């Protein structure tokens, strides 16, 4: 039976039994609003239906659907001839691991998942419900945009949705799954969410479709070239890429497990399970040469709970790692520079990536752990002309604005503004630890000698003295007096110089101390984030 066909025999609506039969018949139609053939086509493509995505995400039997029987009421372009139930989106609420969430899942088998008036009203209702109830919002996107046949109504709906997304921001976590083609006015919905998960080979996300792109700017392209999973990871729009619908749902559950329900709830704390990490290995991790590389993931493996690290945007701005993790069962946000990429130097992409993550963690009460080994911001004419100052300023703003507990570990290089920006004491970190290998200074020893002793070296050269020997002597002096953790510790910029193997224990103690940190902020409407 198709969505538009009538039942073979009509129930007797004059009786209660008949009315119940009628209700069952109507609800049965919601399982396949575009017909069983459409469901079979979805399964044939190796994908889940919109409804299956919802039930696969939520705990068994917990889903309560709202507006299941909604139908559009548009008559333009003969739309009244086809009025399937749900109008292309499944909405409601349920639980994930026992915690309440609101959810919607767009159905591409109904009008390609396009958003008309009724579809949009359903989205508005479930978003408002998430806002009022203070629970996370999960959106599963599979929509080619506004429903053109309904005219300007779809634009008005998009505006309402953008406004609601903004109102939800910082109040409840918003997670978007790109499960199918998502474009046009629907493309900005996930862009306004907090976290984006993309299904490889199925999900695409772009603003302007290939046909319009070709017509307007004369560029022949494809949906994949505009917004495939690889494109979205490379440009930082998507946070995680997965292989299937089921993987996406499992990833959403993992993300939710790291997050509180809303901005008033504390960061989740679970009982630490499993074996402790190998902290002793940290004492021999760093190479003796300051030019030697190492993987910051190896540092984190000796600090956070085993199997708890969930890295975001791993293929974007790899010189900084942003991740959720647990330390002794407590959820934290981790920001760590990666010496294997650009030697850990910060560029515009890395600064923006870190800034947005820091603001997200701060909004939802996740303490921040900084792991720092950075020679500074990446120098270069191209970067400066492209606005490195403007694009990196949000990182300074985000760290200075944060009110959650912040604990910093300096493993090696912490030079110049990157030292300041990455959780330094005076910008707002509560506790700063340094390894004995730390080099905290305005610049490295070589550049410091060149700047401080330029006249001495020039004079030695004029007098034909051994300049190389003099430079080596001056390097030793600078390293012993300036470029080490002890000069910073003497002035209180470092709270403690610790053996690397003690890092996890110090983090556990420090995070416990700042768990209920109190900050009195000056009253204001909002700050002016340097975008």
């Amino acid at each position: 039976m198709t969505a538009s066909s009538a039942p073979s025999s009509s129930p007797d609506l004059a009786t209660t039994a008949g009315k119940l039969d009628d209700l069952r018949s109507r609800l049965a139609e919601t399982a396949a609003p575009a017909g069983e053939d459409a469901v079979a086509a979805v399964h044939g493509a190796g994908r889940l239906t919109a409804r299956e995505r919802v039930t696969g995400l939520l705990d068994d039997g917990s889903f309560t659907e709202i507006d299941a029987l909604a139908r559009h009421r548009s008559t333009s372009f003969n739309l009244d001839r086809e009025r399937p139930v749900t109008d292309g989106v499944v909405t409601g609420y349920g639980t994930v691991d026992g915690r309440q969430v609101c959810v919607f899942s767009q159905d591409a088998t109904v009008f390609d998942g396009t958003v008309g008036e009724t579809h949009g009203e359903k989205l508005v209702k479930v978003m408002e419900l998430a806002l009022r109830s203070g629970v996370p919002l999960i959106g599963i996107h599979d929509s080619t945009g506004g429903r053109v046949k309904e005219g300007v109504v779809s634009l008005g709906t998009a505006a309402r949705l953008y406004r609601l997304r903004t109102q939800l921001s910082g109040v409840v976590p918003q997670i978007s799954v790109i499960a199918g083609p998502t474009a046009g006015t629907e493309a900005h919905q996930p862009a306004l969410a907090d976290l984006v998960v993309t299904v490889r080979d199925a999900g695409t996300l772009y603003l302007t479709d290939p046909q319009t792109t070709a017509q307007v700017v004369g560029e022949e392209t494809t949906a994949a070239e505009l917004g495939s999973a690889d494109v979205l990871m490379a440009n930082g729009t998507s946070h995680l890429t997965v292989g299937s619908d089921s993987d996406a749902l499992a990833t959403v559950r993992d993300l939710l497990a790291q997050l509180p329900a809303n901005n008033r709830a504390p960061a989740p704390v679970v009982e630490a399970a499993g074996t402790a990490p190998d902290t002793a290995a940290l004492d021999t991790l760093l190479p003796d040469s300051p030019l030697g590389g190492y993987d910051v993931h190896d540092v984190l493996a000796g600090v956070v709970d085993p199997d708890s690290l969930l890295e975001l945007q791993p293929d974007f701005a790899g010189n900084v790692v942003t991740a959720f993790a647990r330390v002794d069962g407590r959820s934290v946000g981790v920001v760590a520079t990666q010496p294997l990429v650009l030697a850990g130097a910060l560029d515009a992409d890395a600064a923006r990536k870190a800034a947005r993550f820091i603001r997200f963690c701060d909004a939802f009460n996740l303490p921040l752990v900084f792991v720092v080994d950075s020679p500074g911001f990446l120098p270069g004419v191209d970067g400066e002309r492209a606005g490195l100052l403007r694009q990196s300023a949000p990182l300074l703003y985000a760290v200075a604005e944060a009110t959650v507990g912040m604990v910093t570990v300096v493993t090696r290089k912490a030079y110049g503004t990157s030292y300041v920006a990455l959780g330094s004491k005076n910008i707002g970190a509560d506790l700063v630890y340094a390894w004995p290998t730390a080099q905290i200074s305005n610049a490295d020893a070589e550049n410091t000698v060149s700047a401080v002793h330029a006249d001495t070296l020039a004079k030695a050269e004029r007098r034909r003295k051994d300049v190389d020997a003099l430079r080596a002597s001056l390097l030793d002096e600078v390293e012993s007096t300036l470029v080490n953790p002890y000069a910073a510790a003497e002035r209180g910029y470092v709270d403690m110089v610790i053996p690397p193997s003690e890092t996890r224990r110090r983090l556990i103690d420090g995070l416990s101390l700042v768990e209920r940190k109190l900050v009195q902020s000056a009253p204001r409407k909002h700050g002016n984030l340097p975008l």
Side-chain angles (χ1 to χ4, degrees), residues 445-457 474 477-478 482:
E446 289 278 357
N447 286 314
T448 299
V449 166
S450 297
V452 174
H453 296 293
D455 291 343
T456 301
L457 291 168
L474 293 173
E477 179 188 354
V478 166
L482 291 179

Side-chain angles (χ1 to χ4, degrees), residues 90 99 109 119 152 192 303 343 362 479:
V90 179
R99 298 171 55 199
T109 69
H119 184 132
V152 73
L192 288 169
V303 171
D362 187 49
E479 287 175 351

Side-chain angles (χ1 to χ4, degrees), residues 192-406:
L192 288 169
D194 297 308
L195 299 167
V196 178
V197 180
T198 305
V199 180
R200 187 180 297 280
D201 300 329
T204 54
L205 178 67
Y206 49 83
L207 191 57
T208 306
D209 62 69
Q211 293 77 17
T212 305
T213 300
Q215 292 170 2
V216 174
V217 297
E219 293 180 355
E220 295 294 333
T221 186
T222 65
E225 290 175 335
L226 291 172
S228 67
D230 289 339
V231 170
L232 298 176
M233 287 296 286
N235 64 28
T237 302
S238 179
H239 295 83
L240 292 162
T241 298
V242 296
S244 67
D245 285 344
S246 297
D247 292 339
L249 304 180
T251 299
V252 171
R253 288 193 291 269
D254 289 342
L255 289 169
L256 288 170
Q258 297 276 15
L259 303 175
N262 55 54
N263 61 344
R264 296 187 178 184
V269 179
V270 300
E271 184 176 350
T275 58
D278 182 8
T279 58
L282 295 179
D283 283 342
T284 57
L285 175 63
L286 266 62
D288 291 333
S289 169
L291 301 179
Y294 65 94
D295 191 340
V296 75
H297 291 97
D298 293 333
V299 176
L300 298 177
V303 171
V304 305
D305 297 352
D307 301 320
S308 73
L309 192 75
L310 181 54
E311 185 175 352
L312 305 179
Q313 298 175 301
D315 297 323
F316 173 67
N319 40 334
V320 66
V321 172
T322 54
F324 299 122
R326 289 193 176 91
V327 177
D328 198 34
R330 177 179 285 103
S331 288
V332 300
V334 175
V335 178
T337 53
Q338 174 58 283
L340 296 182
V341 180
L342 299 178
L346 299 177
D347 57 5
D349 284 345
R352 288 196 302 268
K353 173 182 175 178
R356 181 161 173 80
F357 180 73
I358 290 164
R359 285 172 65 83
F360 175 80
C361 291
D362 187 49
F364 294 108
N365 308 315
L366 291 178
L368 287 160
V369 174
F370 292 90
V371 179
V372 183
D373 184 353
S374 174
F377 280 89
L378 189 67
V381 174
D382 290 344
E384 294 284 2
R385 287 182 175 178
L388 178 61
L389 275 173
R390 171 180 53 81
Q391 296 178 79
S392 61
L395 174 58
L396 292 163
Y397 190 104
V399 179
E401 182 188 48
T403 60
V404 293
M406 291 189 286

Side-chain angles (χ1 to χ4, degrees), residues 102-157:
C102 284
V103 62
F104 69 81
S105 179
Q106 292 175 315
D107 186 353
T109 69
V110 177
F111 302 130
D112 293 326
T114 54
V115 181
E117 182 178 20
T118 299
H119 184 132
E121 287 173 347
K122 292 179 66 174
L123 294 179
V124 166
K125 183 185 286 189
V126 76
M127 287 185 187
E128 290 178 339
L129 185 60
L131 185 62
R132 289 197 303 271
S133 56
V135 302
L137 174 72
I138 314 302
I140 304 175
H141 299 266
D142 195 347
S143 169
T144 54
R147 195 170 299 166
V148 177
K149 289 184 177 181
E150 292 195 28
V152 73
V153 171
S154 65
L155 295 178
T157 298

Side-chain angles (χ1 to χ4, degrees), residues 10-63:
S10 299
D12 183 0
L13 298 182
T15 66
T16 299
K19 291 177 180 178
L20 286 172
D21 287 341
D22 179 55
L23 173 61
R24 295 188 189 100
S25 176
R26 292 173 183 269
L27 292 177
E29 190 180 341
T30 66
E36 295 295 342
D37 289 345
V39 172
V42 171
H43 289 165
R47 303 170 65 193
L48 300 177
T49 66
R51 187 171 299 277
E52 289 167 342
R53 290 166 178 162
V54 171
T55 56
L57 170 67
L58 302 178
D59 298 337
D60 290 343
S62 72
F63 181 47

